[in-house]
Amino acid sequence: MRFYVETLGCQMNKLDSELVAGLLGQLGYQPVTDVAEADVTILNTCSVRDHAEQKALSRLGHFNHLRKKNGTPAIIAVMGCFAQRSPELIRNKAPFVDIICGPAELHELGRLISQSLLQRKADQKVSAKIAVSDFRKIRSGQEALCDELESLDVQRPMVGEGFQRFVRVQRGCDNFCSYCVVPFARGPECSRPVDHILEEVRRIDRTGCKEITLLGQTVSSYCQDHQGQKVGLAELLCLVHESCSIPRIRFITSYPADFSPAIFEAMAELPRLCPYLHLPAQHGSDRMLKLMNRRYTIKQYLDLLEQGRRIVPNLSIAGDFIVGFPTETQDDHQQSIELLEKVRYKNCFIFKYSIRPGTLAAGKYTPEQEIPEEIKSARHSEMLQVQDRIANEDNQTMVGKIVEVLVEGTSKKNRADKQTLSQLVGRTVEDKIVIFDGLETITGTITKVRIQSASSLTLFGEVV
Ligand code: SF4
């Protein structure tokens, strides 16, 4: 039996897809890259914005169309945050889907697929199967978050591109930012055991991997008991650094109110820990932060970054912003622009607010308090323009410097007609994207590149 997995959304989803691919591989299924060849098609979905859900429905429609066109009896399964949050909506809009499986039920997926295939083989109608978690029961202590998920991570086979890997250190989130679906889609926050993380890191190290990224929704709040001591993210980073020789270690995503200065100390002391920090502010106005249920003020945020830059002078900072949250005034918006100017982020993910059903902010505001689309769009473009200028100015200071780049492969614009050299893309330790010509065979190596020119998003150079 052959399976195809397509992943939408964040790195956590990519890691889940890898785990599912491993799980199915252990059960004897073969992966394929062409959906038309698959007996089982799995879509891993995102729910963070309405657009992501619409895209998932559109891909499911396409898979069903292919299934009908090819006359193949492929099973179609949906996993990920959309599956957890909206199984009924998926059943309504895509009634042809055979399996709906939430992120905390992935250990069930193999069994559900086998059952569906058996039904199909016996010429029976495949009954729709839904496995989603009741996080309210888990949060109120009525149910434990299943150990099977941990065992999926522990048994993780090393599939896919080998030189960059993610390691999950935490699941779920308890912050309940008022616009966010994650606590409802991924459940309560829990930190994985230190021993399991270190064992996984050692296994990855043995494969010759060049970069690992420790993943958590709020990785800065990582907390576990280990050998009679409390281990937070700073201590975990030290232990990971000690237990492997992987040249680059990163972590994402941090939450400002949980962030301990000890993490900056670790960044300054550990040579293989990258000086890169993704620390979303989400807004520049304290009033808006309060409405967003973020537990810090702009002063605290700026003080933290000031401390970070003092301890780690080459610290590269990325951020996230939401534009047009209900009741946002022009003055609030101006404060977000000021924050961009003060922090000078390496890059920023700037999104227009959209209501997500089930979140704390949904249904709380009157239509008059919602920001009209044209104002949202104008503020969004202004933020993008300011950030573009800042990133461009900062990148120009890189021209003439020599940087170490982990080569990720050919760039999207690589010209196939080139005889010997390809256009390659890679990243510096600060997570800056570098484009240069080189042999494709250096993919997966760390190479020195002299920067010759720069734009807001990209550095361009030549191999030294
Ligand atoms: S910290 Fe806030 S934005 Fe981030 S995942 Fe948790 S609830 Fe969502």
Side-chain angles (χ1 to χ4, degrees), residues 172-183 217-218 253 255 282 294:
C173 179
D174 288 335
N175 278 322
F176 289 95
C177 299
S178 63
Y179 51 83
C180 184
V181 297
V182 168
Q217 307 290 350
T218 58
T253 286
Y255 183 81
Q282 302 297 7
R294 303 280 291 181

Side-chain angles (χ1 to χ4, degrees), residues 315-335:
L315 186 64
S316 164
I317 300 163
D320 292 359
F321 276 84
I322 293 174
V323 178
F325 190 80
T327 80
E328 182 189 65
T329 62
Q330 186 56 30
D331 182 54
D332 292 320
H333 167 63
Q334 202 50 43
Q335 293 180 55

